[in-house]
Amino acid sequence: MITTANVATLGGVAVGLGILTWVLIPWYRKSRDWKELVPFGSGLALGTLSVLAAGGVLGKIAGWILGATNKAGDYALSAGTGAQSPLVTRAGITALDPGGSVILLLFTVGLIAVWRSAKKKIRGSLATGVVCGCSIGLSAGVAGIAGATLVPLANSIGGVLTGFLGA
């Protein structure tokens, strides 16, 4: 269940989209090799799934990141343009079920293992992706497509895994 404390504002989504723009434009101008986006994309998926978790440590950390990006983005939108920052949380959000939560936990363990052995650039890409995912995971529209696609995927894979394990 997504709590009312975890809501996306337009400013927070703007921060996430700003991060996405910051990553994609140099990539597009220089290499266009999709393999260079794998660390960022992995972090994006982790952040998106974490912000859609029912709770626990991962959900709490993702909620803090979401709150921080909402505050920073709301301030930037207000101070920079004078505009207000409405809520843009998607209606009918599907949270992770127990099987999807297992997938999130395994994915987190895997990315922590990668983080520990990775160079500074990869670590930065992973962290940036997590912040971006937490910022846009709950949003409506195109920005929230990651959340709308990743949760059913994780729940499906988790359902197969837990069925296979006899749970």
Side-chain angles (χ1 to χ4, degrees), residues 52-54 58 95-108 154-155 158:
L52 292 164
L58 291 175
L96 291 170
D97 62 18
S101 296
V102 168
I103 297 303
L104 172 59
L105 190 59
L106 293 173
F107 190 50
T108 303
N155 286 342

Side-chain angles (χ1 to χ4, degrees), residues 5-162:
N6 288 349
V7 293
T9 65
L10 184 60
V13 172
V15 169
L17 293 176
I19 291 169
L20 194 59
T21 303
W22 188 266
V23 169
L24 291 180
I25 287 178
W27 168 81
Y28 181 79
R29 293 187 73 208
K30 290 181 182 172
S31 74
R32 296 185 198 170
D33 181 7
W34 66 270
K35 290 179 266 183
E36 291 181 11
L37 294 176
V38 169
F40 177 78
S42 298
L44 178 74
L46 179 62
T48 300
L49 288 173
S50 295
V51 82
L52 292 164
V57 173
L58 291 175
K60 182 71 87 178
I61 292 170
W64 288 336
I65 293 170
L66 174 63
T69 58
N70 281 342
K71 285 181 185 178
D74 294 350
Y75 177 77
L77 196 58
S78 165
T81 66
Q84 296 299 315
S85 185
L87 297 179
V88 293
T89 304
R90 183 176 8 137
I93 295 171
T94 305
L96 291 170
D97 62 18
S101 296
V102 168
I103 297 303
L104 172 59
L105 190 59
L106 293 173
F107 190 50
T108 303
V109 169
L111 285 185
I112 289 171
V114 168
W115 172 276
R116 293 192 65 207
S117 64
K119 295 182 180 180
K120 188 176 180 179
K121 182 178 179 182
I122 304 263
R123 287 181 177 193
S125 291
L126 283 167
T128 303
V130 168
V131 172
C132 183
C134 289
S135 299
I136 67 174
L138 293 175
S139 64
V142 176
I145 201 162
T149 57
L150 285 175
V151 170
L153 179 64
N155 286 342
S156 296
I157 294 170
V160 169
L161 178 64
T162 56

